[in-house]
Amino acid sequence: MGHHFHHMEAGSGLIPSQDQSCALLKFSVIRLGAGERLDGTMEGAREGLLVILSGKCRMEVAETDLGVIGERANVFSGLPHSVYLPRGTTYSICAETAMEAALPTAPSDLDTEPYVIAPEEVNTGRWGTLNYTRHFREILVAPNGLPAASLIVGETITPSGNWSTYPPHKHETDNGAEKMHEEIYYFRVSSPDSFGIIQHYSPVQGYDHMHRVVDDTMIAMPHGYHTYVGAPGAQSYYLWALAGPDRVQGASFDPKLGWVQKTVSMI
């Protein structure tokens, strides 16, 4: 049906999402305790962006020591360190503290060197206005000139009680301003007792689903409109990753709700 929402599994090491609804995107989280090590390889002609969610680690990629990566205590306390992992690359992660990372991957035909994206290289700003204001962090997007084949990755912080990804939009076809991209959202919530709601719907595909978002949940969206709202009292975070035929972004608003952006300033 094109709606796939679930909790990520508990445990340590590399924890892949069990969802298979996206043809291009795959997603995993990495959890390591202090002193633990994870070795891996980007297999199957896929590229990845390892985004440090919390903690610090020492990374070696393609036998090159990248030094200590990561500095924020959690996703709400600062901007991320990230590491681009080209296809075929081997990597080792040695946790200096307890740490968590996100690892979205997508198909790649690009041969390039691995690289670090430091917090100061992340483009930040605000989307929306009023009670649908949210704060974006663009990590790996086409305008920043960093090499990638198909991945687009960023983060969004939604203030207490606000709407995000509003008006609802989709990006499932190449049609004028709209560009075809699959997308995943990976959620964290600043309070263990709080939650949010995501609506994912498609008149064409014939589904309309609402999901209760709590910490460490994700949704895969190969198509369909989507929008999110956080409950009052806590901030919400989601990492967004997209993949499609190219890295030029474009979306279409739900025509029943797109007029909202014209009634007030979006700046």
Side-chain angles (χ1 to χ4, degrees):
M1 289 289 291
H3 67 284
H4 293 269
F5 176 87
H6 60 90
H7 291 258
M8 295 299 294
E9 294 182 358
S12 62
L14 181 72
I15 313 293
S17 165
Q18 299 305 305
D19 182 82
Q20 298 294 326
S21 63
C22 286
L24 303 176
L25 279 170
K26 295 182 180 180
F27 180 77
S28 301
V29 293
I30 294 169
R31 304 188 189 103
L32 297 174
E36 292 184 336
R37 178 187 175 106
L38 175 70
D39 297 310
T41 302
M42 297 302 300
E43 298 177 339
R46 299 186 68 81
E47 64 186 1
L49 188 73
L50 187 140
V51 181
I52 304 295
L53 303 173
S54 63
K56 298 180 181 182
C57 64
R58 180 172 290 276
M59 282 198 67
E60 186 177 285
V61 181
E63 300 183 350
T64 299
D65 186 356
L66 300 182
V68 176
I69 307 296
E71 60 183 22
R72 60 182 178 178
N74 57 62
V75 296
F76 301 101
S77 64
L79 301 177
H81 271 97
S82 304
V83 179
Y84 175 80
L85 302 172
R87 64 175 185 170
T89 301
T90 59
Y91 62 88
S92 296
I93 304 170
C94 297
E96 301 233 326
T97 67
M99 59 86 65
E100 293 181 291
L103 182 59
T105 72
S108 175
D109 58 2
L110 178 65
D111 292 316
T112 189
E113 296 298 315
Y115 54 85
V116 176
I117 305 174
E120 57 268 24
E121 297 177 274
V122 175
N123 181 46
T124 62
R126 185 186 73 178
W127 286 325
T129 188
L130 302 176
N131 64 335
Y132 53 104
T133 297
R134 60 274 194 192
H135 306 284
F136 66 82
R137 305 164 175 172
E138 293 177 323
I139 305 171
L140 183 64
V141 296
N144 66 16
L146 296 172
S150 58
L151 264 180
I152 303 168
V153 183
E155 300 179 328
T156 294
I157 300 292
T158 306
S160 164
N162 275 24
W163 288 82
S164 196
T165 310
Y166 198 88
H169 73 257
K170 68 178 179 71
H171 31 76
E172 61 188 36
T173 60
D174 284 307
N175 181 18
E178 182 179 349
K179 305 301 180 184
M180 185 275 157
H181 286 107
E182 299 177 341
E183 186 166 28
I184 63 99
Y185 283 176
Y186 170 67
F187 294 97
R188 305 305 297 260
V189 182
S190 65
S191 167
D193 301 318
S194 196
F195 65 98
I197 299 291
I198 188 166
Q199 183 183 19
H200 182 210
Y201 61 100
S202 172
V204 173
Q205 299 287 334
Y207 61 85
D208 187 346
H209 297 277
M210 309 282 279
H211 303 283
R212 188 176 190 271
V213 170
V214 295
D215 198 49
D216 203 27
T217 53
M218 71 152 290
I219 187 168
M221 298 175 287
H223 43 63
Y225 293 105
H226 38 282
T227 187
Y228 172 78
V229 62
Q235 296 183 85
S236 302
Y237 160 99
Y238 54 89
L239 178 136
W240 38 272
L242 301 95
D246 61 52
R247 299 182 65 236
V248 176
Q249 297 183 66
S252 295
F253 293 119
D254 184 335
K256 295 181 179 179
L257 296 168
W259 57 267
V260 171
Q261 67 165 340
K262 300 178 182 179
T263 63
V264 292
S265 170
M266 292 294 287
I267 298 176

